[in-house]
Amino acid sequence: MSHASTIEAILDAVAGTAPEIREGLVGRREYVEGENPSGEDQLAADVHADRLLEERLLAIDGVDSYASEEREAVVGADDETADGGDGDSSGELSVAVDPLDGSSNLKPNNAMGTIVAVYDAPLPAQGQDLVAAIYVLLGPITTMVAAVDGQATEYVVDDGDRHTVRENITLPGDPTVYGFGGRVPDWTEGFTEYARGIESDTSLKLRYGGAMIGDVNQVMTYGGVFAYPALESAPEGKLRLQFEGNPMAYIVESAGGKSSDGERSLLDVEPDGLHDRVPVHLGNADLIDRLETTIDGGE
Ligand code: P6P
């Protein structure tokens, strides 16, 4: 069954929801009661974005389940909650969403945005089951990058409409930026060795803004490497496989780059739970190859 029309409808819905999410940031900088399933505080803006995206995406014919970083379980189109992962997806698509990635950047008014992963499989799903991945970047202007059928396209989003500005994006062959998350003293020995090599490369400069999509968008624009690595205190790192690692890996790999959990493409990582965390490294192929060689050698 072709999913092309459903994917187009998802792209339109995500672009169409972006202005409301952006407008909804004003006045929603306060934290709400409780935590998300990853144990993180929730802003009113997170909850607002999550509800908007659930409504718009589950209304699309061909989308039968919705999951987000902000909710414990998968929500089915026809019922309150679907357990996901066991039932048959009846050939329909599952969407996994980080409604407001980098929402902690709201207080200092820095970049943030939305990540949408579209899987042709029940959730939790492997990255190889992705048929599309999208991020909306709420920067000085609103842009959207989407990867479908192995090609990445950038759009400017104006009043909810998407206008193509870059097609078949490929990472520049002369990379210039790097950005690494986690506290430096908490990095593993292998990653520390890798980071020192990158830092000593005079062609690369530090760009780290605290929102994955802003930092990865710099890599998509200038070439380089982004990582939120395994930490001594958190061997699985911080970022979520379903909602952040897989979709951003799909986009970077569609642009000719590579992804890695330290050993393999993120798209090959077998999920256990919906909210699994995973070490994330994304960027130019040679920089990711160097990472895997260094970390492997460091073991
Ligand atoms: P830290 C945002 O909270 C996020 O999930 C990613 O977007 C970002 O890369 C990372 O966490 C930032 O984490 O530890 O630098 O605040």
Side-chain angles (χ1 to χ4, degrees):
M1 170 181 169
S2 163
H3 294 303
S5 58
T6 305
I7 291 170
E8 279 302 298
I10 291 170
L11 295 184
D12 288 339
V14 173
T17 311
E20 292 172 85
I21 290 176
R22 188 171 195 125
E23 286 152 21
L25 297 177
V26 177
R28 287 190 173 88
R29 297 208 273 191
E30 76 281 3
Y31 286 103
V32 297
E33 283 292 309
E35 296 174 333
N36 70 14
S38 298
E40 297 164 336
D41 293 333
Q42 284 180 310
L43 286 174
D46 290 312
V47 175
H48 178 248
D50 183 34
R51 288 179 179 151
L52 278 176
L53 287 160
E54 177 203 6
E55 175 196 315
R56 303 292 159 77
L57 292 172
L58 282 182
I60 297 170
D61 280 343
V63 174
D64 81 333
S65 52
Y66 174 93
S68 96
E69 266 193 20
E70 307 306 328
R71 300 175 194 231
E72 195 60 49
V74 179
V75 179
D78 302 327
D79 53 30
E80 279 308 299
T81 301
D83 60 8
D86 301 330
D88 166 25
S89 70
S90 65
E92 299 200 319
L93 299 177
S94 308
V95 293
V97 176
D98 182 355
L100 207 51
D101 175 65
S103 56
S104 55
N105 271 350
L106 183 52
K107 188 170 180 180
N109 195 29
N110 271 342
M112 70 194 75
T114 297
I115 307 174
V116 178
V118 186
Y119 297 91
D120 185 11
L123 299 175
Q126 195 182 24
Q128 297 298 353
D129 292 321
L130 283 165
V131 291
I134 305 161
Y135 66 84
V136 172
L137 181 54
L138 304 178
I141 63 171
T142 303
T143 56
M144 182 169 96
V145 172
V148 182
D149 289 335
Q151 288 210 354
T153 304
E154 183 180 26
Y155 307 87
V156 165
V157 178
D158 179 20
D159 197 21
D161 296 321
R162 54 193 169 102
H163 306 279
T164 302
V165 291
R166 279 202 296 168
E167 288 183 301
N168 195 15
I169 300 172
T170 54
L171 296 186
D174 53 345
T176 61
V177 299
Y178 70 92
F180 299 149
R183 294 186 65 255
V184 175
D186 205 9
W187 288 347
T188 63
E189 188 180 332
F191 187 78
T192 300
E193 182 185 345
Y194 173 72
R196 294 294 173 260
I198 294 291
E199 290 160 354
S200 64
D201 182 332
T202 55
S203 66
L204 296 169
K205 54 191 175 185
L206 174 60
R207 285 291 183 271
Y208 186 81
M212 180 191 200
I213 54 174
D215 296 330
V216 175
N217 199 57
Q218 296 242 33
V219 170
M220 293 289 289
T221 306
Y222 298 117
V225 56
F226 166 84
Y228 207 108
L231 303 174
E232 294 294 353
S233 65
E236 295 310 310
K238 175 182 182 183
L239 303 181
R240 275 66 35 150
L241 178 66
Q242 292 295 300
F243 308 104
E244 296 168 300
N246 273 339
M248 299 306 279
Y250 185 82
I251 290 168
V252 170
E253 293 191 11
S254 296
K258 278 192 170 182
S259 75
S260 179
D261 66 348
E263 295 176 18
R264 68 183 67 76
S265 166
L266 289 172
L267 305 183
D268 293 330
V269 175
E270 281 291 341
D272 289 320
L274 188 60
H275 296 281
D276 288 1
R277 296 177 191 268
V278 67
V280 172
H281 316 80
L282 304 168
N284 285 65
D286 60 330
L287 296 177
I288 299 301
D289 289 342
R290 190 197 307 181
L291 167 98
E292 291 184 343
T293 305
T294 307
I295 285 190
D296 182 43
E299 269 182 347

